[in-house]
């Protein structure tokens, strides 16, 4: 059995760390593997990142990097490194290569196109070596795991030796199906779930349209996890927590996921859509990247072009019909159960990689 060193970016408070590492650890242990976890950044850092408290200082972050170095030096060299994103964000590849050489095998998991963060650095500012860091990292680890084929293709194009797709898993029993019964004359509720940073990025372009929808009583808006971002958007805001997210999603009727037509967004896993759909909510999503795989247009939701007219038409059409909401909601749940509710699919792949 393998000794696995899980090096996550964050604690399970962050969705990527929770879904791609922490949620899988109990099952690896059930199969006899030993898993030790070291999270680079704790909840204090996340609170600062999301504006809930002052941002973490460089001294604080430096101490966290030193903690990781010490932890790696104490690890068994026969262990399998199971890395989330990278070992040392924004340090040169040399730091990663030293750590990788000290262990038997390495698995790098990516939930997003993190290599773009480096490729966009301006080489004229003396950052050429940093802009190439991720391509070197991808070609140095033994295996890269990703949630979908879009990201797999991008990683292979950048020199990864071997890529495996571990699709997102979602627990159908945890996300129980609930059809809401609105009071007569009360509009349906459109919901968005995500972090404050993503709220700022993805909702800001649609404030005028969404405010118009609310003002005309076409629908109400609920934001889960957005915090105080996009303050001009007329919406009810719910603080996200792992314990309450299922109940919060059940307070909405329709899920939305607007994204941009760029490489980063084309590689996204669409997990927020998956959460809404498994809860029996039809969705409206930008017709980009993996969204096009998750959403079957006019069956379990609407795929729309990123124009105000297209989004407004889709929202009005779905919000006006309780029958559409109910029928597409049932279809949405069934489509996710069929594709993403069997943990064995991804777990078998991971077990093969670590054994």
């Amino acid at each position: 059995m393998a000794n696995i060193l899980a090096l996550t970016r964050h604690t399970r408070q962050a969705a990527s760390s929770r879904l791609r590492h922490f949620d899988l650890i109990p099952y690896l242990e059930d199969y006899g593997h030993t898993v030790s976890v070291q999270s680079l950044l704790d909840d204090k850092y996340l609170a600062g990142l999301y504006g809930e408290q002052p941002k973490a200082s460089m001294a604080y972050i430096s101490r966290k990097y030193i903690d990781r170095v010490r932890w790696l030096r104490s690890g068994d060299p026969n262990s399998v490194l199971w890395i989330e994103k990278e070992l040392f964000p924004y340090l040169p590849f040399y730091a990663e290569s030293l750590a990788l050489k000290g262990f038997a095998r390495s698995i790098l998991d990516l939930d997003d196109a993190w290599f773009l963060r480096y490729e966009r650095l301006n080489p004229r500012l003396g950052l050429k070596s940093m802009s190439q860091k991720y391509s070197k990292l991808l070609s140095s680890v033994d295996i890269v795991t990703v949630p979908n084929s879009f990201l797999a293709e991008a990683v292979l194009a950048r020199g990864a030796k071997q890529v495996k797709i571990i699709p997102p898993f979602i627990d159908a029993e945890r996300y129980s199906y609930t059809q809401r019964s609105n009071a007569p004359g009360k509009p349906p509720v459109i919901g968005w779930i995500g972090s404050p940073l993503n709220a700022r990025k993805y909702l800001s372009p649609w404030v005028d349209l969404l405010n118009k929808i609310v003002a005309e009583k076409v629908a109400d808006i609920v934001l889960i996890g957005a915090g105080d971002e996009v303050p001009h958007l007329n919406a009810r805001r719910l603080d996200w927590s792992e314990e309450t997210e299922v109940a919060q999603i059940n307070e909405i009727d329709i899920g939305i996921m607007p994204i941009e037509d760029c490489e980063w967004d084309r590689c996204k896993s669409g997990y927020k859509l998956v959460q809404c759909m498994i809860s029996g909510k039809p969705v409206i999503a930008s017709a980009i990247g993996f969204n096009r795989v998750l959403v079957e247009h006019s069956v379990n939701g609407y795929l729309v072009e990123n124009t105000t007219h297209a989004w407004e038409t889709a929202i009005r059409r779905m919000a006006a019909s309780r029958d559409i909401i109910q029928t597409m909601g049932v279809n949405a749940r069934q489509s996710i159960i069929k594709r993403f509710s069997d943990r064995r699919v991804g777990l078998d792949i991971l077990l093969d990689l670590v054994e």
Side-chain angles (χ1 to χ4, degrees):
M1 294 300 170
N3 182 38
I4 304 167
L5 305 183
L7 295 113
T8 65
R9 176 72 66 93
H10 301 289
T11 66
R12 65 176 297 117
Q13 185 74 9
S16 57
S17 300
R18 181 175 66 255
L19 299 171
R20 305 292 296 178
H21 281 78
F22 285 99
D23 282 356
L24 293 171
I25 288 172
Y27 297 91
L28 291 172
E29 292 175 334
D30 286 346
Y31 278 81
H33 300 297
T34 301
V35 184
S36 302
V37 183
Q38 198 270 343
S39 299
L40 179 63
L41 300 167
D42 59 20
D43 293 345
K44 177 182 176 181
Y45 176 86
L46 279 178
L49 186 66
Y50 295 155
E52 298 168 1
Q53 62 182 46
K55 287 189 176 181
S57 67
M58 286 305 299
Y60 164 85
I61 295 173
S62 297
R63 288 195 298 271
K64 294 299 181 181
Y65 277 48
I66 292 170
D67 289 344
R68 170 153 288 186
V69 170
R70 289 172 175 166
W71 197 82
L72 283 166
R73 291 181 66 182
S74 67
D76 180 355
N78 295 314
S79 300
V80 178
L81 289 186
W82 184 25
I83 306 163
E84 180 191 350
K85 299 180 178 69
E86 58 193 315
L87 290 169
F88 300 106
Y90 295 105
L91 289 189
F93 172 69
Y94 180 69
E96 309 270 343
S97 64
L98 287 178
L100 293 175
K101 289 176 182 177
F103 293 91
R105 296 176 62 207
S106 54
I107 301 170
L108 177 70
D109 184 77
L110 293 181
D111 68 321
D112 276 315
W114 287 92
F115 42 82
L116 294 176
R117 300 281 180 93
Y118 291 91
E119 293 174 4
R120 291 169 180 169
L121 295 173
N122 190 338
R124 287 180 290 184
L125 297 177
L127 298 173
K128 183 176 181 180
S129 63
M130 286 297 291
S131 67
Q132 298 171 348
K133 172 185 174 175
Y134 233 98
S135 61
K136 294 177 181 178
L137 177 60
L138 292 171
S139 62
S140 296
V141 296
D142 296 302
I143 301 161
V144 181
T145 56
V146 296
N148 61 58
S149 60
F150 293 86
L151 191 50
E153 291 175 7
V155 165
L156 283 169
R158 287 164 172 84
K161 300 173 188 173
Q162 183 180 6
V163 180
K164 294 290 185 180
I165 296 175
I166 298 181
F169 165 80
I170 192 156
D171 188 346
E173 293 183 3
R174 179 172 183 258
Y175 288 85
S176 58
Y177 171 64
T178 303
Q179 277 286 345
R180 284 166 35 84
S181 298
N182 285 353
K186 189 172 182 180
V189 176
I190 291 174
W192 179 93
I193 181 170
S195 70
L197 296 179
N198 282 337
R200 184 192 314 160
K201 177 179 179 180
Y202 295 116
L203 295 179
S204 294
W206 306 102
V207 168
D208 290 344
L209 171 60
L210 294 175
N211 281 345
K212 178 182 178 182
I213 291 297
V214 173
E216 295 181 8
K217 300 187 184 304
V218 174
D220 291 327
I221 309 291
V222 165
L223 307 180
I224 303 170
D228 296 328
E229 293 294 337
V230 203
H232 301 300
L233 177 55
N234 185 5
R236 184 160 63 97
R237 297 163 189 269
L238 304 177
D239 293 333
W240 176 89
S241 76
E242 186 178 356
E243 294 74 27
T244 62
E245 67 175 353
V246 173
Q248 290 170 338
I249 292 173
N250 280 332
E251 291 189 33
I252 72 173
D253 300 291
I254 301 165
I256 61 170
M257 188 175 174
I259 57 175
E260 301 173 359
D261 191 7
C262 61
E263 187 170 14
W264 178 278
D265 287 1
R266 288 193 292 271
C267 291
K268 290 181 75 66
S269 67
Y271 190 74
K272 302 308 182 185
L273 282 183
V274 172
Q275 286 182 293
C276 291
M277 294 170 76
I278 195 71
S279 302
K281 317 299 178 183
V283 293
I284 304 173
S286 300
I288 294 167
F290 198 59
N291 284 5
R292 299 177 65 91
V293 177
L294 290 171
V295 182
E296 187 175 355
H297 185 67
S298 294
V299 175
N300 55 21
Y302 292 142
L303 286 168
V304 296
E305 300 301 319
N306 272 353
T307 66
T308 300
H309 174 74
W311 271 93
E312 182 172 359
T313 300
I315 290 172
R316 289 184 182 276
R317 182 180 300 161
M318 188 176 288
S321 174
R322 176 55 58 177
D323 287 342
I324 288 178
I325 292 174
Q326 183 169 355
T327 301
M328 286 192 181
V330 171
N331 293 341
R333 180 172 170 83
Q334 291 304 314
S335 66
I336 298 302
I337 288 175
K338 182 178 179 180
R339 300 177 61 189
F340 301 116
S341 67
D342 184 358
R343 191 183 297 272
R344 294 294 321 177
V345 175
L347 186 59
D348 284 347
I349 295 171
L350 186 57
L351 286 170
D352 286 342
L353 298 182
V354 300
E355 289 177 352

